[in-house]
Amino acid sequence: MKRVKVLVIGAGVVGLSTAVCIAETLSYCSVTLTAEKFSPDTTSDGAAGILFASEFPDVPLERQQRWFKETFDHLLAIADSPQASDAGVFLCSGYQIFKDVPCDKKPFWSDLVLGFRNMTHHEMKRFPNHKCGQAFTTLKCECLSYLPWLEKRFREAGGQIRREKVTNLQKVYQEYDVIVNCSGLGSRFLVKDEEVYPIRGQVLKVNAPWLKSFIRDGDGKTYIYPGIKYVTIGGTRQANDWRLEVDKEDSNGIMERCKQLEASLQNAQVIGPWVGLRPGRANPRVELEYLYVQGRHIPLVHNYGHGGWGITLSWGTALEALDLVRRSLIEKPPRARL
Amino acid sequence: MKVCIIGAGVIGLSTAQSIYQHFHDRVTPLTIEVYADVFTPLTTSDGAAGLWQPYLYDKGNVQETKWNKETFDYILSCLRSPESVKMGIFLQSGYDLCTETVPHPSFKDIVLGHRELTKRELAMFPGYSYGWFNTTLMIEGKTYLPWLMDWLKQRSVTFHQRKIDSFRELADSGADVIINCSGVRSGELQPDPDLQPARGQIIKVDAPWLKHWINTNHFSSSGISPYIIPGSRLVTVGGVFQVGNWNRMNSSADHKEIWETACKLEPSLQHARIVEDWTGLRPARSKVRLERETIQSRPNSFEVIHNYGHGGFGMTIHRGCAEEAARLFGEILEQKGLLTHPRSRL
């Protein structure tokens, strides 16, 4: 039987996760992953990788919870295994604190992380400028380790890698039976989706190995995430800002705000800054489209637009993309429009 | 007034600090000298992981709970100071695991955010059916002790490397008050059948992805009760408490058992790089000996304050005990009529 040829575009956390899911599950598929950038040069590589989500306006809550839960459970199993250090996945506890917003409303993922509760009065004493907070244990997934680990898994499942930027889908239609688009911000150009826009984020990597817990301000602009080799402090959320250059004022602002939350950072040696462009979109696009090209119906599965929650939703959306690929191969494609 | 402190572990050094803080401007001259045959990084305190945690239950020893709390609150307040990193102190959360449901520990309201573990959390630790999550302090001996020594040296406290064979030896050379912080070897200065070594062996491991401590409490079995405590650089893996064992050498049999048990508890350890082993003798006693003793030595007598027997909770209780020792020292000064009251303003 002729093998079904699948092309996955994009080698960030979403692309690699999706490629692994397809290669490991659909034995009748031969999967190729193509991308311009690979680890350590993807957006995913600079992300702190703390599993944490924000609510999307138009996706049913049950579906968002499923995305989160499937990723969390998948990564928790890795964290609790001998693979943890190779994959760069581990448990991390900490606080999310709020200056103004009341903490009564529990986020949709509160039952999906571990030990979610409100902070005690004693705990809040450390943060005199904040009114309340939430304490919980979640996972951290460091893509500098996780992406190479996924790539290894992909190759072991028979996957092929092409280091090549796809600028025109027309060219790849001939060679493949199914295309999976995980090109993140690149979808703005590749599939002409104007709803995708960059949300610029700058962070500082610092050496502070005595910090073991994360602290995040509920406004999302100030956070301290202890990692394996360094602590990531941040950040910025600058919509429609395409600059990949480091902004010195941003660096100063980050350090000042983070020192307010954690005084000992004044003794931390700064290793360096990093800038990434989150693939912003009102909602992630995880859906199946059929393209009619030269007498053929080619399934095009989209899995992009995860904003700042790519790692958090990676496995869950990858599983959904896998499902769409499977469905597209079983279903009859819709009849051509006359 | 000359005070001689025997022992330069966390107890000896912190006692010197408390005495200086309370009395340097009320007794002139106040000479403080520390005598020890081992200094940091070779003391028992240096090997300790430095996790602030008393034994689960104080068995009615409310004094010790008070001293533990005093230490916690003091170190917590030091976190805000610019010195915190130099002191080797920081917060860390973790898991206390038990094999059966037990009453809440004595330190439940002292640490931060103490709560029972959820079912999902317990599922991560097969073999354990109950436990707590909480955030506590780390006090790393290898950093804290040098910080204390610097602090004391800046205030003219002197250090003397010498093994002291008797209290009288110091009394004869001019000590007015002797403070006995000699830990597990105090029996050599004065027999104490209640004082015993409780041997511990640890493995230091490079596993920087670990961000929580894990402590187990086995109530029924003897042998290993594993613990995994990440530090600022390395992770301390341990779990033996061998009462009566004076052997300071690392045992490969203990290493094997500790390592295997810890890897079952935390599978990710299997790929961690082992750096070194270390053995230390906890100064175990039914309770801390913190009291005065007047020793008759014709024609005079001299004062000794005992401050030893802190078992596996020396770092946890040190400040509370140091402050109490300073209070006892104040009593001696009062009795000798040496305490000048603070000068009145003119």
Side-chain angles (χ1 to χ4, degrees):
Chain A
M1 189 184 89
K2 200 186 85 170
R3 283 166 78 81
V4 175
K5 296 202 297 260
V6 181
L7 179 72
V8 178
I9 304 172
V13 69
V14 173
L16 262 170
S17 300
T18 306
V20 167
C21 281
I22 300 170
E24 285 184 349
T25 314
L26 303 181
S27 53
Y28 53 86
C29 286
S30 119
V31 189
T32 301
L33 175 75
T34 187
E36 181 195 9
K37 299 239 167 84
F38 284 79
S39 178
D41 301 315
T42 72
T43 309
S44 309
D45 289 293
I50 292 269
L51 255 67
F52 183 85
S54 192
E55 208 175 302
F56 297 112
D58 306 306
V59 178
L61 212 52
E62 176 273 331
R63 191 174 171 211
Q64 295 188 54
Q65 283 174 319
R66 179 166 42 85
W67 286 343
F68 190 106
K69 183 178 189 317
E70 284 176 346
T71 311
F72 194 93
D73 291 347
H74 157 81
L75 291 174
L76 183 60
I78 296 171
D80 210 16
S81 80
Q83 304 266 349
S85 52
D86 286 340
V89 182
F90 55 95
L91 284 171
C92 199
S93 296
Y95 303 133
Q96 179 172 221
I97 54 181
F98 300 89
K99 284 199 174 107
D100 306 303
V101 178
C103 313
D104 303 336
K105 182 167 188 283
K106 275 173 136 195
F108 76 84
W109 44 266
S110 60
D111 287 332
L112 305 176
V113 295
L114 297 169
F116 184 95
R117 60 172 173 86
N118 285 330
M119 285 167 72
T120 65
H121 188 62
H122 196 186
E123 290 173 310
M124 285 309 298
K125 279 206 181 127
R126 271 172 75 193
F127 310 106
N129 296 326
H130 290 75
K131 292 214 175 84
C132 63
Q134 301 154 338
F136 54 94
T137 301
T138 183
L139 291 158
K140 191 173 196 282
C141 173
E142 299 191 353
C143 283
L144 281 173
S145 303
Y146 187 57
L147 295 190
W149 184 83
L150 278 178
E151 195 182 310
K152 190 156 165 266
R153 230 172 113 162
F154 178 62
R155 288 184 197 275
E156 277 168 7
Q160 303 285 310
I161 303 239
R162 276 168 74 166
R163 286 172 187 264
E164 195 176 314
K165 181 174 181 177
V166 176
T167 46
N168 187 351
L169 281 177
Q170 300 285 337
K171 291 200 178 140
V172 296
Y173 293 155
Q174 269 83 317
E175 293 178 62
Y176 296 94
D177 303 309
V178 183
I179 300 172
V180 185
N181 170 28
C182 305
S183 58
L185 188 55
S187 288
R188 191 180 165 96
F189 311 105
L190 191 62
V191 296
K192 312 272 189 295
D193 184 349
E194 307 240 307
E195 288 177 46
V196 183
Y197 63 99
I199 304 175
R200 182 180 178 279
Q202 184 165 319
V203 296
L204 292 174
K205 298 188 245 190
V206 307
N207 197 15
W210 60 87
L211 293 179
K212 306 292 184 188
S213 302
F214 66 82
I215 307 172
R216 179 186 201 266
D217 189 308
D219 71 9
K221 294 196 186 125
T222 307
Y223 51 78
I224 299 165
Y225 293 136
I228 297 176
K229 295 209 165 89
Y230 51 81
V231 179
T232 302
I233 67 172
T236 66
R237 279 177 193 280
Q238 296 142 326
N240 292 302
D241 190 338
W242 289 89
R243 291 176 302 150
L244 280 168
E245 305 78 49
V246 174
D247 184 321
K248 211 159 192 288
E249 265 190 60
D250 284 343
S251 291
N252 293 336
I254 289 166
M255 187 48 103
E256 280 317 301
R257 291 195 310 275
C258 289
K259 275 200 270 196
Q260 290 277 312
L261 297 187
E262 179 56 62
S264 71
L265 278 172
Q266 63 195 281
N267 298 102
Q269 176 207 16
V270 178
I271 297 169
W274 181 87
V275 178
L277 306 178
R278 301 172 185 86
R281 201 172 184 275
N283 304 284
R285 187 178 181 199
V286 188
E287 66 184 9
L288 170 61
E289 196 186 340
Y290 283 100
L291 299 172
Y292 189 60
V293 179
Q294 295 181 349
R296 290 170 70 211
H297 278 103
I298 314 274
L300 174 57
V301 173
H302 296 286
N303 189 5
Y304 67 87
H306 299 68
W309 321 117
I311 292 157
T312 299
L313 305 174
S314 56
W315 200 253
T317 51
L319 287 172
E320 195 171 304
L322 162 66
D323 212 50
L324 292 173
V325 169
R326 199 184 351 226
R327 212 202 304 161
S328 77
L329 295 172
I330 294 168
E331 248 173 30
K332 281 195 185 156
R335 280 143 102 39
R337 297 260 260 9
L338 293 165
Chain B
M1 160 58 55
K2 184 151 101 154
V3 188
C4 293
I5 295 168
I6 307 174
V10 71
I11 300 298
L13 297 180
S14 59
T15 302
Q17 182 183 44
S18 287
I19 287 180
Y20 180 91
Q21 282 174 325
H22 287 282
F23 298 108
H24 78 276
D25 58 354
R26 298 181 71 195
V27 181
T28 324
L30 178 65
T31 308
I32 305 175
E33 297 177 347
V34 176
Y35 290 82
D37 57 358
V38 288
F39 288 85
T40 178
L42 300 169
T43 71
T44 309
S45 309
D46 287 289
L51 179 76
W52 187 97
Q53 194 176 100
Y55 295 165
L56 288 192
Y57 307 108
D58 60 24
K59 296 180 201 152
N61 234 319
V62 291
Q63 274 278 41
E64 288 184 7
T65 299
K66 172 172 161 285
W67 292 331
N68 287 329
K69 178 173 169 26
E70 215 181 312
T71 308
F72 189 93
D73 292 343
Y74 163 70
I75 298 287
L76 189 68
S77 73
C78 291
L79 275 186
R80 266 171 277 158
S81 105
E83 297 276 286
S84 68
V85 175
K86 286 208 196 97
M87 287 173 76
I89 62 176
F90 55 94
L91 285 166
Q92 188 168 208
S93 301
Y95 303 90
D96 270 313
L97 304 173
C98 307
T99 47
E100 49 182 348
T101 306
V102 290
H104 281 292
S106 60
F107 52 85
K108 161 175 162 292
D109 295 321
I110 303 176
V111 295
L112 300 168
H114 194 273
R115 61 163 175 88
E116 288 178 335
L117 291 176
T118 64
K119 282 203 174 64
R120 278 176 75 210
E121 288 174 312
L122 285 166
M124 299 192 294
F125 306 108
Y128 297 94
S129 58
Y130 182 72
W132 307 290
F133 186 91
N134 62 86
T135 303
T136 186
L137 288 160
M138 294 286 299
I139 309 166
E140 294 193 305
K142 277 211 171 76
T143 308
Y144 191 58
L145 262 56
W147 179 83
L148 271 172
M149 286 192 64
D150 275 343
W151 191 96
L152 292 166
K153 280 180 184 160
Q154 279 170 34
R155 290 156 180 82
S156 306
V157 172
T158 54
F159 294 88
H160 309 263
Q161 178 161 28
R162 219 170 92 199
K163 184 168 194 288
I164 302 299
D165 293 312
S166 68
F167 298 132
R168 166 172 282 126
E169 183 191 323
L170 284 174
D172 286 346
S173 69
D176 298 302
V177 178
I178 296 164
I179 314 200
N180 174 22
C181 304
S182 55
V184 75
R185 287 180 291 152
S186 188
E188 291 172 28
L189 290 166
Q190 190 185 90
D192 182 349
D194 197 9
L195 177 68
Q196 292 230 279
R199 182 179 174 282
Q201 183 167 321
I202 56 167
I203 307 171
K204 291 247 182 224
V205 156
D206 187 18
W209 59 89
L210 293 178
K211 306 291 183 190
H212 299 90
W213 47 265
I214 304 172
N215 204 9
T216 67
N217 301 280
H218 289 198
F219 293 94
S220 31
S221 70
S222 57
I224 308 246
S225 191
Y227 58 77
I228 298 166
I229 303 172
S232 62
R233 270 173 231 300
L234 297 174
V235 178
T236 301
V237 176
V240 295
F241 192 99
Q242 298 154 346
V243 180
N245 188 345
W246 281 99
N247 188 0
R248 289 180 185 272
M249 303 287 288
N250 296 319
S251 141
S252 52
D254 283 344
H255 174 108
K256 186 163 177 286
E257 254 202 282
I258 292 167
W259 188 246
E260 281 172 8
T261 319
C263 285
K264 275 208 204 91
L265 189 58
E266 177 55 64
S268 74
L269 271 180
Q270 286 173 45
H271 288 196
R273 180 176 67 97
I274 294 177
V275 176
E276 61 181 354
D277 277 46
W278 181 87
T279 294
L281 307 177
R282 303 173 184 84
R285 206 173 180 273
S286 61
K287 62 186 179 88
V288 175
R289 188 177 182 200
L290 182 40
E291 61 188 9
R292 280 176 56 185
E293 187 184 359
T294 310
I295 296 185
Q296 300 299 335
S297 177
R298 308 256 170 78
N300 304 312
S301 62
F302 57 89
E303 294 290 333
V304 176
I305 298 173
H306 296 284
N307 188 4
Y308 69 86
H310 305 79
F313 50 91
M315 304 305 289
T316 298
I317 205 173
H318 77 275
R319 175 71 173 186
C321 288
E323 292 286 284
E324 173 67 13
R327 194 188 65 76
L328 293 173
F329 179 68
E331 255 180 34
I332 297 172
L333 293 176
E334 288 264 10
Q335 284 169 7
K336 289 183 190 270
L338 289 172
L339 213 49
T340 63
H341 294 281
R343 286 179 190 218
S344 52
R345 274 157 95 239
L346 292 168

